[in-house]
Structures are given as C-alpha cells and as structure tokens.
Amino acid sequence: ILVPLEIAASGEQHANAQILAAAGAAKVLEQSEATPETLHTHIEEIFKNYQNYTINMQKLTKTLPQNGREKFVEAILSLT
C-alpha cells in the first residue's frame, strides 16, 4: 500500500506508485483519502489477493534494470 506524499515537488511519488498499481503489484492510497477505514479496506484487498500481488510483483521485477547499485557506483566513480 503506497501513500504518495502530496507535497512531493514534481509528483514523482505519485507517478511511481501508479506504475506499481498499474502492474497489479501495489495499491495506491491517496494521502487526502487516507483514513483508518480506507487503510483497512486496502489491507483487506491485499490479503484477499496476496498471491496475485506477489506474482505481479515478481513479473514486474523481471522487467526492471538489474545491478542498479553497481551501475550507480560506477557512475559516481566516473565523475572523479
């Protein structure tokens, strides 16, 4: 369950959360709509469909770039 901060400067948290939600790997709860009741509803949804969320996250993970940490370190070291 992702709750993007409304104060994020360029909406990057919301955009990233929507990518995961569109892939079926997460639920997005807008900060303005966050109440104990809506959070409870989202939690129930996740539990009811936990296997689907897990499968979707595994599928999404396979599409992401690998070795990000190493690439990041290489990029930083190349600046020196």
Side-chain angles (χ1 to χ4, degrees), residues 2 6 10 12 14-15 21 24-26 32 35 40 49 51-52 54 60-63 68-70 72 79:
L2 304 172
E6 293 175 351
S10 60
E12 70 278 357
H14 191 269
S32 62
T35 64
H40 184 262
N49 299 295
Q51 186 173 8
N52 290 336
T54 301
L60 180 63
T61 300
K62 291 178 183 177
T63 68
R69 179 177 48 191
E70 290 83 5
F72 180 74
L79 298 174

Side-chain angles (χ1 to χ4, degrees), residues 25-52:
K27 293 285 290 179
V28 178
L29 177 57
E30 299 297 337
Q31 192 175 19
S32 62
E33 299 171 6
T35 64
E37 293 80 18
T38 57
L39 179 59
H40 184 262
T41 299
H42 279 58
I43 291 169
E44 284 184 330
E45 162 72 19
I46 295 283
F47 277 123
K48 285 180 189 174
N49 299 295
Y50 184 75
Q51 186 173 8
N52 290 336

